Amino acid sequence: MTTTKPLTIAVPKGRILKDLIPLVQRAGLDSTPLQENDRRLVRPTADGAFRYVFLKPDDVPTYVEYGAADLGVSGRDTLLERRHDLYTPLDLGIGRCRLVVAGPEDTPIPDLPRVATKYPRIAGDHFASKGVVAEIIPVHGSVELAPLVGLSHLIVDIVETGATLRENRLEVLETVTEVSTLLIANRASYKLRSDTVRPLVERLRAATAAARR
Ligand code: PRP
């Protein structure tokens, strides 16, 4: 008897799951393991064809690049910042938001601004492309706090509803890039497991297109 290794799909814990579940269902895939409310990090589907692994969003591309997962779900922001060696076969059309430069309302910006961000590489490239010499200060979260207490003049961060900026009296100064969530694939898996991977990608593609209509 031959046993086929289940296809491993890396999914980010957190807010994107609520949008991912209906998409997976629309694609006709078993979403039950995504909905279970427990602490298991590896969750196989009932038929054993797939297993989902649950990760911090920033770690998803790492697992896929190294082949510990065949496919994954990752934000374009993370992929731009980390620049992993991966395939990105499909924009899933969920998790839409913007990466922006923001600062305190009605406050002049100095010539050499300090910029706090979870995206030091993207922010550095952005200011360099404009010929602005900015000091980039890496932080890991609650980025909006930085200008409120004098850590930085500006931030580069994700805006989704805009509520966090508004409630902290910050305003968008410019958009760096639009962000959405992509399906990512390990390069070897995409070729060597194409019999399983390609149909799955096509089902997700159809589900994504249906969601847009
Ligand atoms: C993200 C982002 C903003 C916020 C934007 O933070 O960094 O802070 O969401 O969302 P909004 O425009 O809908 O208010 P997250 O909630 O992931 O937590 P963090 O601050 O700890 O990074």
Side-chain angles (χ1 to χ4, degrees), residues 15 118 140-144 157-165:
R15 62 167 90 179
K118 289 184 278 193
H140 291 289
S142 301
V143 183
E144 292 82 357
D157 199 21
I158 291 295
V159 177
E160 191 179 352
T161 64
T164 311
L165 287 185

Side-chain angles (χ1 to χ4, degrees), residues 71-92:
L71 294 172
V73 172
S74 184
R76 211 168 81 83
D77 51 335
T78 304
L79 299 171
L80 282 173
E81 179 67 22
R82 304 289 182 85
R83 300 180 202 181
H84 291 272
D85 184 21
L86 296 160
Y87 277 133
T88 53
L90 180 62
D91 186 334
L92 294 170

